[in-house]
């Protein structure tokens, strides 16, 4: 990260070593681990982080699911974005509240068309609903 400011960049995204990703931050209900993520968001280089809240480029089987409820067969698992909203909203609120003085930029998921979402999110209308819910939670926090 120390070389990024030399390029003139003011922000950084896809902090692979310490991006947010729900499954890394809260692998079990209310068992939070902010250590690595804090190191990227509270960096000494005055870089504004742009955090990816869920998955990146479909590289994981949890993706948009609640980590401790997720199954590892994404094409046969069922997900209901509105029904899972209690856990998702808590996750979003916790993250946004923790870092809202550091950044105002968030990426819900990266290259989500490359992911293998759970069955309930295969429908584009359900994906839209999921993204809209997250947008609303981010804005209201």
């Amino acid at each position: 990260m120390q070389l990024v400011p030399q390029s003139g960049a003011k922000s950084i995204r896809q902090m692979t070593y310490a991006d947010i990703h729900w499954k890394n931050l809260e692998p079990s209900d209310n068992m939070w681990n902010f250590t690595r993520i804090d190191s990227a968001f509270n960096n000494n280089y005055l870089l504004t982080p742009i955090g990816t809240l869920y998955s990146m480029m479909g590289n994981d089987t949890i993706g948009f699911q609640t980590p401790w409820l997720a199954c590892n067969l994404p094409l046969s698992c069922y997900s209901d974005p509105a029904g899972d909203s209690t856990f998702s909203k808590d996750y979003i609120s916790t993250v946004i509240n923790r870092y809202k003085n550091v950044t105002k930029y968030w990426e819900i998921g990266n290259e989500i068309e490359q992911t293998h979402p759970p069955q309930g999110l295969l429908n584009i209308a359900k994906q839209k609903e999921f993204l809209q819910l997250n947008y609303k939670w981010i804005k209201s926090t």
Side-chain angles (χ1 to χ4, degrees):
M1 281 182 70
Q2 70 188 63
L3 297 176
V4 175
Q6 294 175 19
S7 73
K10 304 283 188 229
S11 62
I12 188 167
R13 65 183 278 269
Q14 294 189 350
M15 301 159 286
T16 310
Y17 73 96
D19 217 331
I20 295 177
H21 304 163
W22 193 1
K23 71 176 187 174
N24 297 332
L25 182 60
E26 186 190 18
S28 300
D29 191 15
N30 286 318
M31 298 299 291
W32 300 92
N33 183 355
F34 288 100
T35 305
R36 293 185 77 191
I37 297 157
D38 280 352
S39 72
F41 274 71
N42 301 318
N43 66 77
N44 294 325
Y45 306 104
L46 303 176
L47 293 167
T48 301
I50 301 170
T52 304
L53 296 168
Y54 293 97
S55 66
M56 267 175 37
M57 299 174 274
N59 288 333
D60 69 69
T61 57
I62 291 176
F64 303 122
Q65 300 176 77
T66 303
W68 56 93
L69 299 176
C71 75
N72 60 4
L73 301 170
L75 294 178
S76 62
C77 298
Y78 179 75
S79 176
D80 176 12
D84 291 337
S85 66
T86 301
F87 292 121
S88 300
K89 185 176 182 181
D90 177 63
Y91 163 67
I92 294 297
S93 297
T94 300
V95 170
I96 303 303
N97 277 322
R98 186 173 185 96
Y99 299 116
K100 67 183 174 186
N101 293 326
V102 178
T103 188
K104 61 181 179 177
Y105 306 106
W106 301 98
E107 185 174 25
I108 295 172
N110 180 265
E111 296 185 27
I112 62 174
E113 73 281 0
Q114 302 292 328
T115 65
H116 298 290
Q119 199 68 24
L121 291 178
L122 290 176
N123 178 307
I124 194 73
K126 287 289 188 182
Q127 288 182 23
K128 178 183 174 189
E129 177 186 3
F130 177 80
L131 295 172
Q132 287 175 324
L133 283 170
N134 280 270
Y135 175 82
K136 182 174 80 174
W137 299 328
I138 291 167
K139 289 295 190 182
S140 67
T141 301

